[in-house]
Amino acid sequence: MTPNRRSFMRAVGAGSIGAALLPLTSGTAVAATIITIRGAGADIWSSEDAFHYYYEARSGDFDVVVRNTALERTEANAKTGIMVRETLEPDAKNVMLRRTPSGEASLQWRPAAGIDTLSTTSGGEDESEVSGGSLEADWLRLTRSGDVIEAYGSTDGSDWTRIAQLTADNLELSSDTYVGLPVTSHVEGTLCTAELRDLSGLSPDTNRDIGDVQVAGSVSVEEGVPFVSTEPPTDVEATSATVNGDLTDMGGAESAECYFEYRKVPTESWQTASSTTLSSTGTYSAELDDLTRRRYYEVRAVAEMSDGDSTTGSAVTFGTPSRANGQSGENGPESVSQFDLGDGFADPAPWLDDDTPVIKITEPTTRQFETALNVDGPRVVVFETSGVIDLQEQQLTVTNDELYIAGQTAPSPGITLVRGSIWLDSSDNVIQHIRVRPGDAGNDSGWEPDCIFTEDGTENNVIDHCTATWGVDENISVGYDTSDTTVSNCLIAEALQDSSHSKGPHGYGSLIGNNAKNVTLAGNVWAHTLDRNPRLKEGTRTVVVNNVVHHYKDGVWMDPDTQASIEGNVFEWPISEQPNVFGDGGVYVDDNVLNWEADVPMVGDRITELDSRPLWPDGLETLAADDVREHNFRNVGARPADRTAHDERIIEAVRSGNGSYIDSQEEVGGYPDLSENTHTLDVPQSGTHAWLRQWSREVEEDE
């Protein structure tokens, strides 16, 4: 190595590191300088933050630019970026231009100390100047001029797009602030690594943890290092592709051996492609000709320098097509249930065709499953294994649209997720034939998961033939301002009553958030859930058809400015005198029954009964209420023809009028331990819809 070419400093935990680092000159970019920050913490959000911060004290205006070249995906909402905050207290007033592992950049801010944070994607959408509140950006720029703060993103560091502008009407920051680079893992006790370069306008001299992070973060800075980036592949065919890299800095070396590593998603072993020797910076390529059709691949550029250094670019994901030219063929058999997954307002996976890549889960691990969920592109997730996936108190957040989870493809006894939840912060998704059982996960205060939840503002999501039990907040819920959501043929049961929720007893069935439009709830069973069966919040438009509500205090609870068609439902074993449909709003009710001669009104006094349906999906046909119990008992849950002991226990208890409310999964046998069986899936080149539907029939129909 060339003497004195590199200076390196590593600081573990909090403390000052400024004097030992080569200084970064304010206002100018220092070439080939890599800043690596490792930070833990639950989040930079809500009313308090937890993260690692590399910063300097500043007074007055600033113009800071940085390029984020890598961000570890510890969780979908891990983040780094540029921040200005008024104090170093966890609840301080602040503004952050954030970037997440998806590559999307957006702006968030806390208007006053100790209050909830807003962002251009949640709560502060009116301030956004870009569609959806975020944009894809590697380069970030945050400026301050007096009381005006502006956030920009760029893909090349030259052409900038303004994301938002904040003024004193949004928040007032004092002149004296702390400006720097934050990192949070969004997972308590787990470090997330962020790599940043091309920093200008800032000379950070201190790093420390802020808030409760449980494990200390760190910062390292390297100068004079080589750098290679992975460029998008070209000429992608069913079994081949051209992969591309760009060696932009050799770090003083005379030559570099440049090559690529690639692998299928989500397997771990990298394969190596042929190499090229470069004696100067520039681009290079290689041909991959051993790929499998209809798969996603990760590829990363690598350069090994003649002086012993090496550099690896961030991985780029690409999918290979089939040879069927995208034709989807026949749809295949409909569901055994009265309610097919397309009978609601949602259109199930309109993007799915015979070119859509398929991701195989071969081990029941969180790593494989989360990687598959969050590939950026249309994907079908299938299972060559059964078993329990222990989420270890994680909320798996799906931030990319066009996901199809096909739990029906797993061998018996299927897939169960425990100690965690799925949060769909995306649209055009289908989840079928899985079980989600969060449980109390140690009964720590503040553990408040739903089983499955669609985020505010999402649309066209289908949750079909799933089992959702042991939620602490709700079991299955639909977010605010959503549209076209279907929940069908689901077993929604045994929400934990007095568990770990911060508000105390709070285990409920389903919440339909304010202004959710065109929600279909069909053929489900709510059992042993005290309240919200379902709860229809203000402004919602909902169809509630042919469900069983069993052992409940509150049935369908409606707010003002709600409209619903409530037909053919069965209510049984109420434990209060509350009407089954109560609150406010306008409702068309027909053929709903109350079993077992319970003396409870069907409709409350404040409900306005309508003469006709205010909304109804095209083609949806109802069952007579007298047929609903047995139909639903045969058809609800993840695998009606292949039920696990917990699902069978719940169904038999409801059928016979038994069962009880629970505070912990330990009262009913605890978390399951399922066999890890395997089989090989032969993914078809054509007829994808029919293939998935045939697998559904296998787990729905008891021969």
Side-chain angles (χ1 to χ4, degrees), residues 257-575:
E257 197 73 13
C258 301
Y259 58 93
F260 297 91
E261 295 177 329
Y262 64 103
R263 64 183 181 184
K264 286 182 185 177
V265 174
T267 55
E268 292 188 2
S269 298
W270 291 94
Q271 296 177 262
T272 302
S274 59
S275 64
T276 300
T277 301
L278 297 182
S279 57
S280 62
T281 58
T283 60
Y284 63 101
S285 301
E287 298 297 321
L288 306 182
D289 56 11
D290 59 347
L291 306 181
T292 302
R293 60 180 181 266
R294 302 196 64 184
R295 295 292 188 274
Y296 273 112
Y297 285 85
E298 288 180 305
V299 61
R300 61 189 186 188
V302 183
E304 295 182 356
M305 318 311 293
S306 58
D307 60 10
D309 277 357
S310 64
T311 177
T312 303
S314 297
V316 169
T317 302
F318 68 98
T320 57
S322 72
R323 293 194 176 101
N325 299 317
Q327 297 177 4
S328 58
E330 297 296 325
N331 280 335
E334 290 193 348
S335 175
V336 176
S337 168
Q338 171 77 9
F339 306 104
D340 193 68
L341 74 165
D343 284 346
F345 291 106
D347 180 8
W351 44 268
L352 176 64
D353 63 22
D354 291 333
D355 279 339
T356 304
V358 175
I359 302 175
K360 292 184 175 181
I361 304 297
T362 58
E363 299 174 349
T365 64
T366 301
R367 185 202 63 79
Q368 279 205 14
F369 191 52
E370 184 177 21
T371 298
L373 297 190
N374 284 291
V375 167
D376 188 5
R379 66 270 188 217
V380 179
V381 178
V382 300
F383 298 85
E384 294 191 329
T385 183
S386 64
V388 174
I389 299 178
D390 189 340
L391 302 182
Q392 301 178 337
E393 300 187 39
Q394 289 189 54
Q395 173 183 276
L396 293 188
T397 305
V398 180
T399 56
N400 296 320
D401 299 340
E402 300 179 339
L403 165 69
Y404 198 127
I405 301 177
Q408 63 266 38
T409 59
S412 179
I415 294 293
T416 297
L417 312 180
V418 301
R419 296 184 181 88
S421 58
I422 294 181
W423 180 18
L424 291 178
D425 190 8
S426 53
S427 299
D428 290 317
N429 304 301
V430 175
I431 301 179
Q432 278 195 295
H433 300 289
I434 64 168
R435 312 174 194 94
V436 186
R437 309 190 193 275
D440 56 31
N443 203 29
D444 296 327
S445 179
W447 168 246
E448 302 175 359
D450 289 4
C451 302
I452 306 174
F453 176 72
T454 65
E455 174 60 302
D456 301 349
T458 57
E459 59 187 25
N460 203 49
N461 287 314
V462 176
I463 303 166
D464 176 66
H465 276 101
C466 289
T467 295
T469 65
W470 310 342
V472 178
D473 196 1
E474 285 94 23
N475 277 344
I476 294 181
S477 288
V478 177
Y480 291 46
D481 300 303
T482 55
S483 63
D484 300 322
T485 305
T486 297
V487 180
S488 55
N489 305 302
C490 290
L491 177 58
I492 306 167
E494 291 185 346
L496 301 187
Q497 299 302 318
D498 191 3
S499 183
S500 54
H501 202 287
S502 59
K503 296 180 181 179
H506 200 76
Y508 300 146
S510 298
L511 179 73
I512 311 303
N514 289 32
N515 301 311
K517 300 297 194 296
N518 289 351
V519 180
T520 308
L521 307 171
N524 305 292
V525 171
W526 282 277
H528 312 305
T529 51
L530 195 68
D531 198 347
R532 301 182 184 176
N533 294 296
R535 174 82 155 94
L536 310 182
K537 297 279 283 182
E538 186 169 355
T540 54
R541 302 291 183 266
T542 314
V543 169
V544 184
V545 57
N546 287 160
N547 303 284
V548 174
V549 181
H550 176 90
H551 197 196
Y552 60 100
K553 173 178 173 287
D554 291 338
V556 183
W557 179 3
M558 302 183 65
D559 277 357
D561 187 28
T562 51
Q563 291 184 355
S565 301
I566 301 179
E567 302 183 34
N569 299 285
V570 176
F571 299 88
E572 55 190 35
W573 198 359
I575 62 170

Side-chain angles (χ1 to χ4, degrees), residues 173-197:
L173 284 175
S174 64
S175 177
D176 294 330
T177 60
Y178 299 90
V179 183
L181 310 175
V183 173
T184 183
S185 65
H186 206 272
V187 181
E188 291 184 8
T190 298
L191 290 169
C192 172
T193 301
E195 182 183 272
L196 304 111
R197 70 189 303 245

Side-chain angles (χ1 to χ4, degrees), residues 62-67 81-82 95-99 103-108 120 129-130 133-145 148-166:
F62 57 79
D63 185 348
V64 178
V65 174
V66 75
R67 181 183 181 189
I82 307 170
V95 179
M96 179 182 178
L97 174 54
R98 64 189 183 186
R99 187 174 186 266
E104 293 290 309
S106 55
L107 188 68
Q108 67 177 62
T120 51
E129 299 181 25
V130 295
S134 66
L135 55 78
E136 188 172 339
D138 301 319
W139 293 77
L140 308 174
R141 181 181 182 186
L142 190 68
T143 72
R144 178 179 185 176
S145 178
V148 178
I149 295 176
E150 295 177 296
Y152 299 85
S154 173
T155 57
D156 58 11
S158 299
D159 296 325
W160 295 94
T161 299
R162 191 165 73 177
I163 299 170
Q165 179 189 81
L166 303 180

